[in-house]
Amino acid sequence: MRKRIIAGNWKMNTTLDEAKKLASEIVELVKNVDDVEIVICPPYTNLYVVYEIIKDSNVKLGAQDLHWEDKGAFTGKISADMLLSVGVKYVIIGHSEQRTYFCETDETVNKKVKQALKKGLKPIVCVGETLEQRENGETKEVVKKQVVGAFEGVSKEDILKSVIAYEPVWAIGTGKTATPEQAQEVHAFIRELLKELYDEEVAQSVRIQYGGSMKPNNAKALLEQPDIDGGLIGGASLKAKDFYGIIRPE
Ligand code: 13P
C-alpha cells in the first residue's frame, strides 16, 4: 500500500509573516489527517520559521532545491546539511521551472538526487513534457529520459526513499490540468519503467505524484486513478483551505 502524499510547492511566494500565517492555518486544518503524508515546501528564507510552527504536527518540511556539493564557494546555493539543520525532510529536485530558467539538466538532477539521498533527504523528482513535446507524440520518450537520467546509479534501497512527480509543463500554472486519463497513462508508464529499471517491488512501492493546476475541484478524479499517489501543488497550496481541499477532496 502506498501512502498518499500531498506536497505544497510555495515557489517564490510568502514573506516571513505570510509564511507563518499559512503554515499555522495548514497545521490547524490538517491536524486530524493521518492517512495522507503532508509536506510543505516554503522558500529557503522561511524554512526555519515554518519548521518551528510544524515541528510537533503531522506536517513535514520540504525545500525547493539543493546543491550537490557539501559546502564551499557556491554563492547563492544551499547545501543538504543546511536543509537538514532546519528540519527539512524532503527536497524537490528537477522542477520544470529549474529546468527551463536555471539550466537544470538530467545530469544536475542526478547529482542532486544522489546528494540528497546520501545525506538522508528524500527527493521529490519532477519530470514532465512540454506542450510541443506532447503534440509531437514525444511524452513517453521525454519522461523516460528524465527518469532514467535522474536515477542513474541510484540503488534500489535509495529509490525506495524517493518520490516522483509527473508535472506536464503545459499544465503548470496554466489552469489546464491533464485529464485523469492522460495523467494515469503517464503514471502507469513510469511505474512500468521502474519495473524495467529495478523490479516489481520498486514499481509497486515508489509513490508518483501528479502536479499541474491541481485544485480542490479536480483533485478527486485525479487521485482516484490507480497509479496517482498524490499531488505536488503550486498555486492552490498558497491558500490553506484550497490545500486542505486537495488533501480531503470532495
Ligand atoms: P500549479 O499547481 O500552480 O500548476 O503548479 C504545479 C507545480 O509546479 C508544483 O510544483
Side-chain angles (χ1 to χ4, degrees), residues 103-239:
C103 312
E104 186 90 278
T105 63
D106 290 337
E107 205 181 349
T108 58
V109 169
N110 182 245
K111 287 188 195 180
K112 290 175 179 182
V113 167
K114 285 178 171 159
Q115 176 71 351
L117 288 162
K118 185 177 102 185
K119 293 285 185 173
L121 290 163
K122 295 181 178 182
I124 297 178
V125 178
C126 303
V127 299
E129 80 289 1
T130 63
L131 184 58
E132 194 187 353
Q133 289 164 334
R134 174 162 282 265
E135 284 173 348
N136 289 339
E138 295 166 0
T139 298
K140 289 183 180 168
E141 191 185 317
V142 168
V143 167
K144 179 173 181 179
K145 186 170 166 290
Q146 291 173 337
V147 172
V148 169
F151 293 104
E152 202 185 312
V154 171
S155 67
K156 172 176 172 177
E157 192 192 343
D158 274 345
I159 196 172
L160 286 169
K161 298 173 192 147
S162 309
V163 175
I164 296 174
Y166 169 57
E167 299 205 308
V169 180
W170 49 272
I172 296 177
T174 57
K176 273 193 207 168
T177 327
T179 63
E181 295 72 26
Q182 281 173 325
Q184 166 59 27
E185 188 186 355
V186 180
H187 282 236
F189 171 73
I190 294 172
R191 217 174 281 294
E192 202 48 46
L193 183 58
L194 291 176
K195 189 173 156 186
E196 260 175 52
L197 296 171
Y198 293 88
D199 58 22
E200 183 67 24
E201 188 194 351
V202 169
Q204 291 311 319
S205 306
V206 170
R207 291 173 296 175
I208 309 174
Q209 298 174 304
Y210 168 80
S213 299
M214 200 191 253
K215 311 278 178 212
N217 65 4
N218 61 27
K220 189 164 191 285
L222 286 158
L223 294 169
E224 274 172 1
Q225 299 298 316
D227 290 301
I228 301 185
D229 306 314
L232 183 56
I233 322 298
S237 73
L238 295 171
K239 287 195 184 128

Side-chain angles (χ1 to χ4, degrees), residues 91-104:
V91 59
I92 297 170
I93 296 175
H95 193 278
S96 68
E97 286 146 20
Q98 287 284 341
R99 293 179 192 260
T100 306
Y101 307 129
F102 304 112
C103 312
E104 186 90 278

